[in-house]
């Protein structure tokens, strides 16, 4: 018989409907649906519910547990003979192949739904697949069963948080506590159906317990798996049955994945954890994925859900001594930080001169990062892991390494300024530079701290203090280039708080320092700081001339090879130029400059610059009498501003957009637009 129906079955509406449709749809061959997923995700429960849903469309429903995670699963021949018994076959041929052919023929001539639960592999299922006819087969398994030619596949994920809370509420009935406690309990259960059901059973059978009390018990990671047990239902037992099916290498990798600090990981870090080659590790990850112990996500990322991570940690502590675990952690941190340096340096001005000068220093797999695009993708994907490694290096007093990592990342940080952890990165590096007692390093990293405080936290006070420390250290060291950078940061900060006189004076001093030092990356930045102050003072023509000087310097052949920096600064420069031209009412030139900025920003993937350029081009289109183009640009700018969470500038865009729309509706030929300068005014790097 089918497993007992659950009156409180909750969620899975989409999967349930899709499976029912697939099993009832007429096809030339047999309708075969496969449901896979990790232990405890409710595969059997869903399959039984779907079987009940479609019972009226078939003559007979047969349910067979293939016991795929038992030490001795049901053999293919035994499965065939049990189905034959259920079909009423009295005399079945003794030869397994003949018996399978006979049963498949019977299934082809009838309308049967055959539910094969908990399959160990394809070999258990194939003898029971009729070649044609009205029967349908629904298979569940922890394995992916990739060899089956299924007409429909469902890879079960966890329940949604809302469905998890709803399931708990239905199980507990009128006695359920507040929604907040239920939501926290669902979170601690990782939205895993088996864990939720166990938690609900424990509460329902203990009248003196409250949801808040169970939450307190489960809040400790060390106690959570043991707390998720009710009678013969145990989350740990479900996980163990899958873990024991792994080979020794896959078991070692699974338990060491508990050391990953981020929600997911790539194959490179996994290879370091397990001490294998990248190719061997990919095979081990395939083994874990096939058994649904890790989930494979886009971009070749692998994830353990929270309860499986706790189980992995349990097995790690059980089977490996603390010294071994510490050594594995240290190797992983070394590799993460070395690879972070390699990736970050892809964005340095002289990257093209020696693209892999750091590869020899990387212990472990040397990933093929490619160019900046691939390096940036890796830095983003592994940010949770390398940041945790950087924190541990700082705590351990490895100041030189902290400084080196931050130095390698500072150009990249401009391209990913939305990441919320740059203030921490550059706080760590500035503090490390101070402890090293090197004024040049202090000047450099206090400057980075100033940028991060201003751009990522909007804290002008802390930014100014850092810029002051950078300036003092640069002057102690006699480093004109770093003095110029510190003055540039000071100019941006002064402009941000409205002190435009100081902003202009600091920017002029910065330009002088950078031109004297010959720093071809810094001089254009200082010129843009000066232009920003000039524009905000209403001296638009001066600003235009200053920006053109910066553009000329960027386009100089001596600067061009340093394309990673030049391209980013060029996008900013053309955006600033567009806004200065708009302030001067030179709308056609402003439109063209904004178009140039957009082209460069699109290649770099810099949404802030793209948003600013769409905004000024929209204003230019409006002033030039093209409201249709203006609306398109302003809508694009508004979407980008909202995407990056810039509510202040989003409001400015929305005001201009509403103004243009009103003008279109009224039929005026020349819609008015704001004339205020809306450049980013960011402290560029």
């Amino acid at each position: 018989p089918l497993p007992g129906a659950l009156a409180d079955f909750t969620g899975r509406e989409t999967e349930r409907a899709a499976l029912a449709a697939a099993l009832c749809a007429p096809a030339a061959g047999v309708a075969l649906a496969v449901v896979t997923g990790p232990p405890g995700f409710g595969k059997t429960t869903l399959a039984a519910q779907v079987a009940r849903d479609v019972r009226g469309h078939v003559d007979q429903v047969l349910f067979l547990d293939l016991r795929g995670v038992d030490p001795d699963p049901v053999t293919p021949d035994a499965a065939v003979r049990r189905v034959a018994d259920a079909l009423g076959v009295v005399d079945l041929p003794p030869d397994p192949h003949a018996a399978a052919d006979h049963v498949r023929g019977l299934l082809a001539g009838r309308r049967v739904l055959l539910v094969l639960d908990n399959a160990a592999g394809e070999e258990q299922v194939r003898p029971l697949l009729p070649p044609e006819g009205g029967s349908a087969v629904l298979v569940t398994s922890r394995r992916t069963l990739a060899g089956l030619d299924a007409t429909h596949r469902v890879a079960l994920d966890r329940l949604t948080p809302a469905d998890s809370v709803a399931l708990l509420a239905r199980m507990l009935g009128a006695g359920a506590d507040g929604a907040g406690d239920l939501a926290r309990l669902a979170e601690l259960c990782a939205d895993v159906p088996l864990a939720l059901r166990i938690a609900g059973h424990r509460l329902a059978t203990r009248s003196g317990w409250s949801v808040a009390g169970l939450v307190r018990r489960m809040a400790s990671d060390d106690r959570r798996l043991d707390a998720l047990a009710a009678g013969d239902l145990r989350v740990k037992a479900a996980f163990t049955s899958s873990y024991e099916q792994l080979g020794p290498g896959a078991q070692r990798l699974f338990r060491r994945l508990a050391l990953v600090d981020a929600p997911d990981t790539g194959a490179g870090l996994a290879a370091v954890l397990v001490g294998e080659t990248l190719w061997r590790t990919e095979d081990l990850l395939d083994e874990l994925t096939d058994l649904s112990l890790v989930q494979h996500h886009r971009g070749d990322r692998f994830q353990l859900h929270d309860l499986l991570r706790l189980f992995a940690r349990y097995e790690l502590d059980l089977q490996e001594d603390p010294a071994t675990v510490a050594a594995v952690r240290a190797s992983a941190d070394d590799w993460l930080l070395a690879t972070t340096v390699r990736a970050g340096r892809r964005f340095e001005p002289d990257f093209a001169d020696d693209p892999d000068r750091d590869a020899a220093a990387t212990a472990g797999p040397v990933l093929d990062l490619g160019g900046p695009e691939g390096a940036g993708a890796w830095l983003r994907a592994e940010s949770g892991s390398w940041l945790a490694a950087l924190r541990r290096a700082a705590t351990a007093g490895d100041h030189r390494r902290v400084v080196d990592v931050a130095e390698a990342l500072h150009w990249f940080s401009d391209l990913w300024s939305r990441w919320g952890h740059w203030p921490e990165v550059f706080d760590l590096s500035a503090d490390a530079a101070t402890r090293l007692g090197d004024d040049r390093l202090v000047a450099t990293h206090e400057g980075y701290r100033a940028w991060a405080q201003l751009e990522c936290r909007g804290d002008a006070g802390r930014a100014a203090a850092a810029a002051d420390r950078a300036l003092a250290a640069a002057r102690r060291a006699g480093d004109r280039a770093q003095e110029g950078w510190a003055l540039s940061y000071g100019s941006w900060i002064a402009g941000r708080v409205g002190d435009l006189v100081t902003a202009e004076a600091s920017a002029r001093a910065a330009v002088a320092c950078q031109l004297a030092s010959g720093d071809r990356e810094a001089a254009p930045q200082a010129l843009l700081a000066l232009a920003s102050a000039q524009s905000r003072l209403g001296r638009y023509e001066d600003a235009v001339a200053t920006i053109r000087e910066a553009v000329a310097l960027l386009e100089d052949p001596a600067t061009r090879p340093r394309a990673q920096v030049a391209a980013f600064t060029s996008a900013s420069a053309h955006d600033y130029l567009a806004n200065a031209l708009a302030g001067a009412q030179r709308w056609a030139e402003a439109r063209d400059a904004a178009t140039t900025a957009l082209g460069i920003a699109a290649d770099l993937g810099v949404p802030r610059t793209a948003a600013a350029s769409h905004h000024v081009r929209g204003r230019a289109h409006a002033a030039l009498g093209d409201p249709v183009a203006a609306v398109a640009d302003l809508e694009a700018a508004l979407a980008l501003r909202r995407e990056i969470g810039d509510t202040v500038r989003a409001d400015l865009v929305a005001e201009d957009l509403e103004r243009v729309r009103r003008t279109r509706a009224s039929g005026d030929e020349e819609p008015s637009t704001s004339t205020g300068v809306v450049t980013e005014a960011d402290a560029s790097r």
Side-chain angles (χ1 to χ4, degrees):
L2 288 170
L6 295 176
D8 52 20
F9 184 91
T10 304
R12 306 297 195 202
E13 290 88 357
T14 301
E15 297 91 338
R16 185 174 166 184
L19 285 167
L23 294 170
C24 294
V30 66
L32 170 61
V34 176
V35 179
T36 60
F41 273 39
K43 300 177 292 296
T44 299
T45 302
L46 175 63
Q49 186 63 49
V50 170
R52 291 185 175 88
D53 292 342
V54 304
R55 183 176 270 161
H57 298 273
V58 295
D59 298 326
Q60 191 175 8
V61 175
L62 303 180
F63 182 92
L64 176 60
D65 183 356
L66 296 175
R67 310 188 72 82
V69 295
D70 287 7
D72 297 307
V74 175
T75 66
D77 185 53
V80 167
R81 295 183 186 279
R82 290 181 65 179
V83 171
D85 282 345
L87 293 173
V89 177
V90 177
D91 188 15
L92 198 64
D95 177 69
H97 297 292
D101 288 343
H102 185 69
V103 170
R104 283 198 301 267
L106 292 174
L107 290 171
R110 305 186 188 186
R111 294 170 66 245
V112 174
L113 171 61
L114 179 59
V115 181
L116 301 176
D117 187 46
N118 199 8
E122 294 90 341
E123 68 281 355
Q124 283 181 303
V125 175
R126 283 201 179 94
L128 291 167
L129 296 180
E132 58 186 1
S135 289
V137 180
L138 174 57
V139 184
T140 76
S141 179
R142 296 183 186 184
R143 298 187 179 276
T144 56
L145 304 183
L148 293 181
D149 189 16
T151 55
H152 187 73
R153 287 183 177 273
V154 170
L156 280 189
D157 203 342
R158 293 173 284 180
L159 292 177
T160 66
D163 283 341
S164 296
V165 171
L167 174 57
L168 289 171
R170 295 181 70 179
M171 291 185 71
L172 300 177
D177 291 9
D181 286 337
L182 288 179
R184 178 59 179 148
L185 180 58
E187 181 183 358
L188 290 170
C189 291
D191 299 315
V192 173
L194 175 61
L196 293 163
R197 195 160 290 283
I198 288 173
H201 285 327
R202 293 197 71 179
L203 289 167
T205 56
R206 289 167 171 81
S207 58
W209 279 25
S210 66
V211 175
L214 183 56
V215 165
R216 283 193 296 273
R217 286 173 178 246
M218 291 177 55
S220 169
D221 289 349
D222 294 336
R223 299 182 62 187
R224 194 175 315 162
L225 287 178
D226 289 331
L228 287 171
D232 61 350
L233 291 178
R234 293 179 179 270
V235 166
K236 189 183 292 184
F239 294 166
T240 299
S241 61
S242 286
Y243 176 75
E244 290 177 344
Q245 294 191 33
L246 298 170
Q251 285 186 347
R252 184 170 66 252
L253 175 56
F254 173 77
R255 59 182 181 258
R256 290 183 179 180
L257 286 175
L259 297 175
V260 175
D261 297 282
D264 55 30
T265 186
L269 177 55
V272 180
L273 290 171
V274 80
E276 296 281 1
T277 66
L278 192 60
W279 311 115
R280 170 60 179 154
T281 303
E282 288 174 341
D283 290 340
L284 296 176
L285 286 167
D286 285 345
E287 187 176 346
L288 294 176
T289 303
D290 184 59
L291 204 50
S292 299
L293 285 172
V294 301
Q295 292 173 287
H296 185 198
H297 296 305
R298 181 177 299 178
D300 273 346
R301 308 293 299 169
F302 298 87
Q303 182 179 30
L304 291 173
H305 70 68
D306 293 348
L307 293 180
L308 276 171
R309 183 183 296 273
L310 289 178
F311 177 71
R313 184 75 217 198
Y314 165 80
E315 289 293 334
L316 183 68
D317 293 341
L318 184 68
Q319 300 192 41
E320 304 200 33
D321 61 84
T324 299
V325 173
V328 171
R329 167 77 81 188
S331 295
D333 283 355
D334 285 344
W335 180 85
L336 279 165
L337 296 180
T339 306
T340 299
V341 169
R342 285 185 58 226
R345 286 180 175 162
R346 292 295 198 275
F347 300 89
E348 289 185 350
D350 58 353
F351 159 68
D353 298 339
D354 189 2
D356 238 346
R357 66 178 184 266
D358 308 296
T362 306
V366 178
L367 300 182
D368 181 8
L369 297 169
E373 183 177 352
W378 185 89
L379 286 169
R380 290 177 172 90
E382 294 290 3
S383 58
S385 291
W386 63 252
L387 177 59
L390 186 66
R391 290 170 180 154
R392 285 188 286 270
T395 300
D398 193 351
H399 306 311
R400 173 54 63 177
R401 168 156 270 189
V402 171
V403 164
D404 288 346
V405 171
E407 180 63 35
L409 289 168
H410 87 276
W411 289 113
F412 171 70
S413 64
D414 257 332
L415 301 176
W416 196 30
S417 59
R418 286 185 292 164
W419 189 51
H421 295 285
W422 292 121
E424 180 183 1
V425 170
F426 295 123
D427 279 348
L428 291 174
S429 70
D431 291 345
T434 298
R435 292 186 175 96
L436 289 170
D438 185 323
D439 277 334
R440 282 188 172 83
L441 287 178
V442 171
T444 299
H445 289 269
E446 287 290 357
Y448 299 161
R449 174 158 33 201
W451 172 85
Q453 292 294 334
L454 185 68
E455 292 307 317
C456 303
R457 286 187 178 153
D459 192 331
R462 289 187 180 181
D468 288 344
R469 290 191 294 269
L471 183 59
R475 285 174 173 167
R476 287 195 302 270
D479 190 324
R480 293 297 303 280
Q482 286 304 322
E483 182 180 354
W485 275 113
L487 288 164
S488 288
Y489 291 127
S491 174
W492 293 114
I493 296 162
R496 188 67 63 90
V497 299
D499 185 357
L500 301 180
V501 173
T502 299
E504 182 178 15
S506 296
R508 286 193 184 281
V511 170
C513 286
Q514 302 299 13
L515 291 177
S517 68
D519 191 328
R520 305 192 70 84
E521 283 71 57
Q525 309 285 358
L527 286 165
L528 292 183
L530 176 58
S532 176
Q534 290 169 331
S535 287
R536 296 183 66 191
L537 286 165
R539 302 207 315 269
Y540 299 117
E541 296 296 349
D542 289 345
V544 169
T546 300
I547 297 167
R548 292 200 189 282
E549 184 180 350
V551 171
L553 189 57
L554 289 166
E555 293 178 348
D556 189 301
T559 305
R560 270 315 206 186
R562 300 167 179 261
Q564 299 310 312
V565 177
F568 178 82
T569 308
S570 181
S572 297
H574 284 90
D575 172 49
Y576 277 75
L577 179 59
N579 276 279
L581 289 165
Q585 305 289 298
R586 293 161 62 176
W587 293 110
E589 294 172 86
R591 175 197 59 202
D592 295 343
T595 299
T596 301
L598 280 168
I600 303 170
D603 291 338
L604 293 173
V606 187
R608 287 187 306 159
T609 303
S613 299
H614 273 299
H615 190 179
V616 68
R617 192 171 71 173
R619 293 168 53 224
H621 281 309
L624 292 168
D626 189 350
V628 174
V631 167
D633 268 316
L634 293 171
E635 286 178 341
L638 184 59
L640 286 167
R641 289 298 183 195
R642 287 174 174 168
E643 177 187 332
I644 63 179
D646 188 344
T647 56
V648 174
R649 291 189 178 102
D651 289 343
L652 292 174
V653 178
E655 290 173 8
D656 280 343
L657 180 58
E658 179 59 27
R659 187 179 297 112
V660 173
R661 285 173 171 164
R662 283 200 309 267
T663 304
R664 285 184 63 188
S666 66
D668 293 346
E669 292 186 1
E670 294 188 7
S672 60
T673 60
S674 61
T675 58
V677 177
V678 292
T679 52
E680 291 299 302
D682 291 332
S684 297
R685 311 301 302 286

